[in-house]
Each structure stands twice: as structure tokens, then as C-alpha cells.
Amino acid sequence: MVHEQVHISRTPGDVAANVASVLLERLAQAQTEGRVASVVLTGGSLAREVHRAVAEHADSGTVDWGRVDFWWGDERFVPADDGDRNAGQAWEDMLSRLPVDPARVHAMPAADDSYEDLDAAAWSHGEQLHDWVAAREPWFDVLMLGIGPDGHCASLFPGHPAVASEADVVPVHDSPKPPPRRISFGLGTLMRARHVMFAAAGADKAAAVAASVAGGDVHAAPSAGPRGTETTGWYVDEAAAEQAQVRR
Ligand code: 6PG
């Protein structure tokens, strides 16, 4: 049975700690079941807190970090050394502090010379993803997502044509939130994880969290779309949970 639940913590720090510990459990579980574990990371301030919390558990021994594949649900299409890159931030906060296998870190292309063209970069990353997923079903163990106050998730924004794209990896032109050029997993790809973990904190997220939990029109609120094949969890603080219809 597919399980959906809102997990409410008191503070944003508590949310991050909870998400980090559930993520570690899920990765360890995947490895116990004999798989190379996989996680799709996201950006944003709360995700950064989660990453730092995970890095603190580097030595816990429950996860074999060399046998974890890392992907991103979206990326800002800026040069590789730009501090805005989700991948760069994740390296700084977490990956550089864990014994990961660099070959299993699948960062999205950066806007450097070889990938000047956004459409070509998204296409090329899609090819890389297709090679990797070949025999996997579902594709990912865990998919992490933030939620914007406007209801966006990954780099899929309300009313933006990228939401309707059937591509697995989508070039996002004219993002309403800077930077304007981004790459995002398409909505279809965001449906291909065992466990979807949304994390959000703050009163400005309350309406968007409610829309995400309720489901419904993904063009109005893209975060209403992604669901895990086994579980979907919203990890929120009390302020962000305020408008969601939840069983407490
Ligand atoms: C971006 C941001 C954005 C972020 C959410 C949640 O790409 O512009 O990363 O998508 O993930 O808005 O961010 P916070 O955790 O900072 O609220």
C-alpha cells in the first residue's frame, strides 16, 4: 500500500535532523536489500541543513557511502564554480565529508564551454540518466524535494511550460526565480522513486504545503504531483503545517 504522511517537527532544525535520520535509514535499508542505494538531492536552505546533518553521521557505519548513487532533481545552469550550484553546495556541506564514490555522483551539467546550450545539456543529462536506470524499477530509492512558497518543486514552477514536458530531464528557460536558466527532472521522473521526502519550514510555505499534500492541479502547484511508489512524506515544522489537512 502506498503510504502518505505529514511529519511535523517543532523547529526547522528539528525537521532537518528528522529528514537526515530517515534518509540514512532508507539508504541503509536499500543496501540491506542488496541494492546500490540511490538518492535524488535538492537545493535550498533546508536541504543544506539536512546535508550538514547527514555529514555529521558520516561515521555511523550504517550506510556504505561508496555504494550510493547521488542525483539532483534540479540545477541552476550556471558555471561549474558558481556558488549557486546545488551540486557545489552539496559537495561543500556533505559529499566532501563522506567517503562517496565520485563516479556515483551524477551532477547536472554546468554552463561551461562544453555545455553552453541549455537544451543540449538537459538532453545529455537525460541520456546519462537513461543509461543508469536501464534495469532499475523504480529508478530511485529516495527523492528529496523542497517546496517554494509558490508551490514549485525541483525547477518546475507554476504555469511554466516545463511542467507539461514529457522529457525525463527538462531544460527550463525563463525561470521566474533567478537564475533564469535551469535544468530540472520532469514530473514523470519525480514519480519514479520509492520514497518521496518533501521538506519545508516556515509560515510562508503553509499554503504550498497544503496544496502539495492535497494533490491536484500540477500546473497551479507542481509540488502537488510527485509521489513515491511506496511512501510520500512531508517533513515540516509547525508553521509550514498550519494549513495542511493532516491526521495528527
Ligand atoms: C531554487 C531553490 C528552491 C528551493 C525551495 C525551498 O532552486 O531556487 O533551491 O527550489 O529548493 O524554494 O527552499 P528553502 O529550503 O530555502 O525554503
Side-chain angles (χ1 to χ4, degrees), residues 42-47 74 76 86 146-148 152 154 177 182 205:
T42 189
S45 54
L46 191 53
D74 72 323
R76 291 97 181 262
N86 290 336
I147 300 180
H152 83 263
K177 185 177 176 189
R182 293 159 174 254
K205 304 290 178 75

Side-chain angles (χ1 to χ4, degrees), residues 33-225:
E33 289 169 8
R35 292 191 298 282
V36 173
S38 57
V39 57
V40 180
L41 302 176
T42 189
S45 54
L46 191 53
R48 296 198 71 171
E49 272 198 69
V50 170
H51 296 164
R52 291 187 203 111
V54 168
E56 278 167 22
H57 294 279
D59 301 327
S60 67
T62 53
V63 176
D64 175 355
W65 292 106
R67 289 173 53 79
V68 179
D69 276 288
F70 297 90
W71 292 86
W72 276 265
D74 72 323
E75 187 56 277
R76 291 97 181 262
F77 195 58
V78 291
D81 60 358
D82 190 305
D84 262 357
R85 293 251 309 159
N86 290 336
Q89 294 175 357
W91 267 108
E92 187 183 322
D93 297 331
M94 176 175 73
L95 299 175
S96 61
R97 298 163 64 188
L98 302 174
V100 299
D101 176 353
R104 294 195 182 280
V105 178
H106 312 275
M108 285 180 165
D112 292 307
D113 294 342
S114 52
Y115 283 119
E116 265 172 6
D117 181 81
L118 173 56
D119 293 356
W123 183 84
S124 136
H125 195 65
E127 291 299 291
Q128 194 186 326
L129 177 65
H130 293 152
D131 289 345
W132 180 84
V133 297
R136 289 166 214 258
E137 199 54 57
W139 292 354
F140 310 107
D141 286 299
V142 184
L143 169 71
M144 319 279 292
L145 286 170
I147 300 180
D150 59 353
H152 83 263
C153 65
S155 279
L156 300 177
F157 292 86
H160 193 284
V163 177
S165 172
E166 288 180 7
D168 293 323
V169 180
V170 190
V172 180
H173 296 269
D174 302 320
S175 157
K177 185 177 176 189
R181 296 198 306 163
R182 293 159 174 254
I183 299 174
S184 184
F185 275 2
L187 262 188
T189 305
L190 300 180
M191 304 290 285
R192 306 202 66 153
R194 283 189 168 77
H195 305 285
V196 169
M197 297 175 69
F198 287 100
D204 63 326
K205 304 290 178 75
V209 168
S212 175
V213 173
D217 183 5
V218 294
H219 296 281
S223 59

